[in-house]
Amino acid sequence: MSVRQICNPEQGATGKRFAVVVAVFVMCCALSVPAMAQAAPYFAPQQLDHMVSRIALYPDPLLAQTLAAATFPDQVSDASYWADEHHGLTGNELAGAIEGDQLPWDPSVQALLPFPAVLHMMASDMNWTTDLGNAFLGQQQDVMYAVQRMRQRARDYGYLHTGPQIIVGGGPYITILPARADYVVVPYYDPVVVYARPRPGFFIGGAIGFRFGVVLGASYRPWGWGYNRIAWDRRVVFINNAPWQRTWVNRHEYHHPYTVHYYPEHHYVREHENHGHEVAYRAHERNEERREVRHEEHAREERHEERHEEHAREERHEERHEEHAREERHEERHEEHARVEDHGHEVHGHDVVHENHGHEDHGHDNGKHETHGNDKGHDKHDDRDRGDKGDKGDHHR
């Protein structure tokens, strides 16, 4: 202990308390830094391959917008509901409705509103959408490599090729572009099929279908359509002719390369504040309604499956009943056949007895005939004896 502390013990105690406070503050700062600077999640190459498999065959402009929108997973569900409610609008009408509603979602999410099927696919599996967005934020180049690997498999097995809707480019990197620059199609395929060797006799021509496409004219340019591409040699996504540079580190303050008006809720001025809350409230109501509808649909599907299983059980019961009836009829025929055979043996035994009886009667008749013959012989012998006796009498006389 120093001389100053001995002379002034109160100052020494104050210094200790100050040191404790400083230590606690340093510890709190040390604990808060990892939470503020949370590291991006890491995905292995096999995980990335599986993750991008369902979108790897999208045309490059649509793939670029999908990857960008996946970095805002919390906005995808509401955007999907909005797209469902306005599915009857197309072209300039849909573009006007998107801009007129002053939607609070990021322009990358708004850019997918003309593609309700894509938004629905993303909203129906939010875990996948969140992982995809996090992977694109933290491992953008690895995600690009994974897309190329999956495209290479699909092309090597003969599924991915140029057609009326898309143009597949070769070279060191596989590009997929729309056959018409202003018409973007959505491919439909089963990842389990198109990335595996086809079975013998399997028709590979129908593995990738194109049932839905959108004409994206000049009215959609503010959302980057027409200027979206992927520079595969540099593994860079271009949105509205500008590199998409949103990463895990700058994800909270990234400036988006869109020309469309953006109305995030926390940037509303007072004249738009009520409208923003109204939009958010309507989105929340739609969200709840959709959840209830999906819950009812799920319940109906479960009841349908239960009825189907019940019907299947009844069919199996009827089949077992019919099988039992067939077995009983088979046993009855078998018993009938056995009775017929037994009756045949009895008839045959009766015939044998009758034959034996006939043989006995025949033998008896033969005996009678023999006896009758003997009797005749005996009569003849008696006649000769009587004759001899007569001759003898005459001679004696």
Side-chain angles (χ1 to χ4, degrees):
M1 183 177 292
S2 64
V3 177
R4 181 177 297 179
Q5 291 176 342
I6 295 173
C7 297
N8 192 355
E10 294 182 358
Q11 185 178 358
T14 304
K16 288 183 179 179
R17 286 195 295 270
F18 179 75
V20 171
V21 172
V22 172
V24 172
F25 178 76
V26 171
M27 291 179 63
C28 292
C29 293
L31 293 174
S32 62
V33 168
M36 296 175 60
Q38 183 181 2
Y42 174 77
F43 299 95
Q46 294 81 2
Q47 292 176 297
L48 294 176
D49 290 350
H50 179 72
M51 189 182 300
V52 304
S53 62
R54 64 178 74 179
I55 61 172
L57 304 187
Y58 280 11
D60 289 358
L62 179 59
L63 177 63
Q65 292 282 34
T66 304
L67 291 173
T71 62
F72 298 92
D74 57 320
Q75 302 176 10
V76 169
S77 294
D78 290 339
S80 176
Y81 300 148
W82 191 96
D84 287 342
E85 290 184 347
H86 297 79
H87 68 277
L89 300 179
T90 58
N92 296 333
E93 294 181 355
L94 179 59
I98 296 173
E99 188 172 7
D101 278 5
Q102 298 182 355
L103 301 174
W105 311 310
D106 188 82
S108 62
V109 178
Q110 297 182 35
L112 292 180
L113 291 175
F115 299 89
V118 177
L119 283 173
H120 178 70
M121 180 266 296
M122 299 173 69
S124 62
D125 192 352
M126 290 306 303
N127 291 331
W128 171 82
T129 302
T130 303
D131 289 342
L132 178 65
N134 291 338
F136 190 58
L137 287 173
Q139 301 171 251
Q140 180 172 331
Q141 293 192 1
D142 294 337
V143 171
M144 298 291 99
Y145 281 124
V147 171
Q148 283 296 317
R149 285 194 296 269
M150 304 313 290
R151 288 185 174 185
Q152 187 71 43
R153 292 183 192 176
R155 189 180 67 174
D156 291 345
Y157 291 134
Y159 296 106
L160 181 62
H161 52 81
T162 298
Q165 296 85 5
I166 59 174
I167 299 175
V168 179
Y173 300 101
I174 301 175
T175 60
I176 303 176
L177 299 176
R180 285 175 46 190
D182 61 342
Y183 184 71
V184 179
V185 294
V186 181
Y188 292 86
Y189 57 89
D190 186 353
V192 177
V193 175
V194 299
Y195 301 122
R197 188 180 301 278
R199 302 186 304 273
F202 180 76
F203 177 62
I204 62 176
I208 302 177
F210 302 91
R211 300 192 299 268
F212 183 76
V214 179
V215 177
L216 300 170
S219 58
Y220 291 93
R221 296 294 170 82
W223 290 275
W225 289 110
Y227 303 103
N228 302 335
R229 67 184 188 279
I230 299 178
W232 292 105
D233 55 342
R234 291 177 286 168
R235 277 125 2 235
V236 176
V237 172
F238 281 82
I239 302 293
N240 201 22
N241 270 343
W244 180 264
Q245 296 178 347
R246 187 171 192 246
T247 64
W248 183 265
V249 177
N250 68 357
R251 64 189 186 278
H252 297 297
E253 62 274 356
Y254 178 67
H255 178 69
H256 310 283
Y258 292 93
T259 58
V260 68
H261 295 293
Y262 179 37
Y263 301 97
E265 292 181 2
H266 58 279
H267 285 170
Y268 275 115
V269 294
R270 185 167 299 278
E271 58 182 326
H272 294 296
E273 185 175 356
N274 293 333
H275 179 70
H277 287 298
E278 184 181 355
V279 171
Y281 180 72
R282 288 201 305 267
H284 176 72
E285 284 187 338
R286 290 194 298 269
N287 191 5
E288 294 299 326
E289 291 176 357
R290 296 291 183 180
R291 284 196 180 97
E292 291 180 359
V293 170
R294 290 185 179 179
H295 180 72
E296 292 178 358
E297 291 178 353
H298 182 68
R300 285 196 297 270
E301 290 177 358
E302 288 183 347
R303 290 194 296 270
H304 178 72
E305 290 179 358
E306 291 177 356
R307 289 195 296 268
H308 181 71
E309 292 178 358
E310 182 66 23
H311 182 67
R313 285 195 297 269
E314 291 178 356
E315 288 184 346
R316 290 193 295 269
H317 178 72
E318 291 179 358
E319 290 177 357
R320 289 194 296 269
H321 182 71
E322 292 178 356
E323 182 67 22
H324 182 69
R326 286 195 296 269
E327 291 177 357
E328 289 183 348
R329 289 194 297 271
H330 178 72
E331 291 178 358
E332 290 176 356
R333 288 196 297 269
H334 182 71
E335 293 176 357
E336 181 67 22
H337 182 69
R339 286 196 297 270
V340 171
E341 288 183 350
D342 293 340
H343 181 69
H345 286 301
E346 293 177 358
V347 172
H348 180 70
H350 181 71
D351 294 339
V352 171
V353 173
H354 182 71
E355 289 179 358
N356 293 333
H357 182 69
H359 286 299
E360 292 177 358
D361 293 340
H362 182 69
H364 183 69
D365 293 338
N366 290 335
K368 288 182 178 180
H369 288 297
E370 290 178 358
T371 303
H372 183 68
N374 292 333
D375 290 340
K376 288 183 177 180
H378 184 69
D379 292 338
K380 291 180 178 180
H381 182 70
D382 292 341
D383 291 336
R384 285 197 300 270
D385 290 341
R386 285 193 298 270
D388 292 338
K389 288 181 180 182
D391 292 339
K392 286 181 179 182
D394 293 338
H395 184 270
H396 182 69
R397 284 193 301 266

